[in-house]
Amino acid sequence: MRALLMLFLAALPCLLHARLLQEAEEGFAECNDFFHQGSPPQGFSDPSHARICQRYQGDKHFATLYSPQHKIPVYSAFLYREGADSAQGDWLLEPQLDDPKSSLDEASKGSEQIEGLGTNQAVEEDYASSDYQPGPLFQAAPSVLTNAVPLTQDFKEKWAADVDQLMKEKLLPQCASGGNLHILAGAVPSSDKLKDKVSVPEYVWLAACCSIPEAWSLGVIKKTSAVDDLEQVTVEELESRLPGGVKLFSNQCGGGAVPDGTTSESSTQTDEEEAAKPGAFSRFFQLLFCIVYELVKTVLCFVWFLVKQVLNLVFGRLYWIWTAATTYILALSSVLINIPCDVLQVFANILCGFVRILNNVFSVICLVLRVPTRFLFDMASFPYDTLCAIPDVGIDILSGIWGVVALGFHAVFGVVGGSFSVVSFAGSSIFSRFVGHSEGSEN
């Protein structure tokens, strides 16, 4: 017993530290308590889904199977607790969903510490400038965006009121201990998306399971296109209407429906039952039996946990080997199939290369042949151009000679005219002086 207790204490920190669960981990680790008989729903087998043990302020609050593709939860699992925190205040984010290397292992408000924020989860900016608000699937939980889907204001308020009324009028009165009331709430995405990222749900659903005093269950469905309609169904019918052929509760939670009446069995005891209560000695033995039973149950559960961990390790390794082998075979087959295509592509490239070479050769030949052809044409046209130019050249020569002669005549006439002008001027000057002198003497 001491060895088992030491092993349990040694394994406890590892169990409490996990938040974003890895592929090798089974179920939801320490958050398996939120599921009926510790067994998560079956049939949601998309490998892209992320399993999250939702933790906040050092405590686990609920479990979520999240779809990074649609950026909304597939479902969240809750265990009813009196006085649980309701969704309010700032919206929290899951750091490890976008940054697997983050040291933050619980929901956080510090978005500046998260690398790649919004890659795999919705953020508040995705809801900006739209008619939708982040609406929690179940109100009795912290405000984490991985537990919220896009809802209109009217639908969000109506869904919260419907769930609250369902809890007060049907679920809690019929479950002898609220601590044994397991809640699953989920959404089915439609083709509509906010900013082409966050899927708007086609409908939301809720399933409840109570295992004490008698196992019973129920389900509800609410289409986002019908704000005022809430459809109550059995869990089996709800499972048939969810995609993928899922099983929500282990052993169908007894397969029963909510019993008639609005009061729990503990509040309808008769006077005879009050009188038939056991004495103190009997209650002591009952208490002792319960303690021994719980100890044995705890030990068996822990042993079963160790066995499951070993089996999970073995089968996980086998699965890893099988995955590696199939991946290698598929990759090799793809390469072998692509070889003929690659060979044909190489031959086609070679043929195109030869065609381009021939085209360049012909272009060079045409260029070489074009040069002597033009030269011979110029040589053949030279005599004709020469004879045709003789008259023009003769005319130009005669024009030049006539210009020289005309220039000579102009020069001679210019000299003669200039000389005559000089003589005339000199003669007139002498005559003027002589005539003037004579008139002075007479006077």
Side-chain angles (χ1 to χ4, degrees), residues 20 76 86 89 114 118 129 159-160 165 172 182 197 256 266 271 288 300 348 354 356 369 372 439-440:
L20 184 63
S76 291
S86 298
I114 305 174
S129 302
W159 172 247
Q165 182 178 5
L172 293 179
H182 295 271
K197 290 176 59 179
S266 60
D271 295 336
L288 184 62
L300 292 178
F354 277 120
R356 285 194 293 269
L369 292 177
E439 289 179 356

Side-chain angles (χ1 to χ4, degrees), residues 214-264:
E214 295 180 358
W216 55 264
S217 60
L218 65 78
V220 292
I221 298 176
K222 190 177 184 68
K223 293 184 177 180
T224 55
S225 59
V227 177
D228 297 324
D229 294 337
L230 183 70
E231 185 178 0
Q232 181 174 328
V233 296
T234 64
V235 170
E236 290 81 357
E237 184 177 352
L238 175 58
E239 291 172 344
S240 67
R241 295 171 65 171
L242 294 177
V246 301
K247 294 295 181 183
L248 297 178
F249 297 114
S250 175
N251 298 326
Q252 294 294 77
C253 190
V258 180
D260 295 332
T262 57
T263 58
S264 64

Side-chain angles (χ1 to χ4, degrees), residues 188-211:
V188 176
S190 67
S191 58
D192 296 333
K193 289 189 175 183
L194 295 182
K195 298 184 179 179
D196 200 29
K197 290 176 59 179
V198 186
S199 295
V200 177
E202 180 181 353
Y203 57 88
V204 294
W205 55 270
L206 183 143
C209 168
C210 182
S211 55

Side-chain angles (χ1 to χ4, degrees), residues 323-365:
T323 303
T326 54
T327 303
Y328 175 77
I329 293 173
L330 290 176
L332 182 61
S333 302
S334 176
V335 171
L336 294 176
I337 291 174
N338 289 331
I339 287 177
C341 298
D342 295 337
V343 171
L344 291 176
Q345 186 175 2
V346 169
F347 278 119
N349 292 335
I350 293 174
L351 182 60
C352 292
F354 277 120
V355 171
R356 285 194 293 269
I357 291 173
L358 291 176
N359 181 48
N360 293 333
V361 170
F362 286 135
S363 299
V364 171
I365 293 174

Side-chain angles (χ1 to χ4, degrees), residues 416-439:
V416 174
S419 301
F420 179 76
S421 297
V422 171
V423 172
S424 299
F425 178 74
S428 61
S429 298
I430 295 171
F431 179 76
S432 297
R433 287 184 181 181
F434 179 76
V435 175
H437 181 72
S438 298
E439 289 179 356

Side-chain angles (χ1 to χ4, degrees), residues 53-263:
C53 182
Q54 302 275 14
R55 299 169 58 85
Y56 182 58
Q57 294 182 345
D59 191 17
K60 56 184 181 180
H61 290 267
F62 58 97
T64 296
L65 184 66
Y66 192 77
S67 172
Q69 176 185 359
H70 297 286
K71 292 182 172 56
I72 61 173
V74 180
Y75 65 77
S76 291
F78 307 87
L79 183 61
Y80 179 79
R81 292 187 296 185
E82 187 72 29
D85 295 334
S86 298
Q88 57 184 353
D90 297 333
W91 286 102
L92 306 176
L93 300 168
E94 292 295 347
Q96 294 181 351
L97 196 58
D98 287 327
D99 182 13
K101 298 180 180 179
S102 174
S103 60
L104 301 173
D105 62 349
E106 62 178 29
S108 171
K109 301 177 184 178
S111 59
E112 67 279 355
Q113 305 177 29
I114 305 174
E115 295 184 5
L117 181 63
T119 304
N120 295 316
Q121 65 180 312
V123 295
E124 288 189 78
E125 288 76 8
D126 296 331
Y127 291 86
S129 302
S130 72
D131 296 331
Y132 293 91
Q133 301 176 1
L137 293 175
F138 190 66
Q139 291 288 333
S143 301
V144 185
L145 279 174
T146 48
N147 182 45
V149 296
L151 301 176
T152 62
Q153 178 68 26
D154 292 342
F155 189 93
K156 176 182 176 181
E157 295 176 354
K158 187 62 176 176
W159 172 247
D162 290 339
V163 173
D164 184 65
Q165 182 178 5
L166 183 69
M167 293 291 295
K168 292 180 178 179
E169 296 183 0
K170 291 190 176 182
L171 299 182
L172 293 179
Q174 298 296 335
C175 197
S177 174
N180 292 282
L181 180 59
H182 295 271
I183 304 293
L184 290 175
V188 176
S190 67
S191 58
D192 296 333
K193 289 189 175 183
L194 295 182
K195 298 184 179 179
D196 200 29
K197 290 176 59 179
V198 186
S199 295
V200 177
E202 180 181 353
Y203 57 88
V204 294
W205 55 270
L206 183 143
C209 168
C210 182
S211 55
I212 295 178
E214 295 180 358
W216 55 264
S217 60
L218 65 78
V220 292
I221 298 176
K222 190 177 184 68
K223 293 184 177 180
T224 55
S225 59
V227 177
D228 297 324
D229 294 337
L230 183 70
E231 185 178 0
Q232 181 174 328
V233 296
T234 64
V235 170
E236 290 81 357
E237 184 177 352
L238 175 58
E239 291 172 344
S240 67
R241 295 171 65 171
L242 294 177
V246 301
K247 294 295 181 183
L248 297 178
F249 297 114
S250 175
N251 298 326
Q252 294 294 77
C253 190
V258 180
D260 295 332
T262 57
T263 58

Side-chain angles (χ1 to χ4, degrees), residues 266-278:
S266 60
S267 62
T268 58
Q269 292 179 331
T270 61
D271 295 336
E272 291 80 5
E273 290 174 329
E274 291 290 337
K277 286 184 177 180

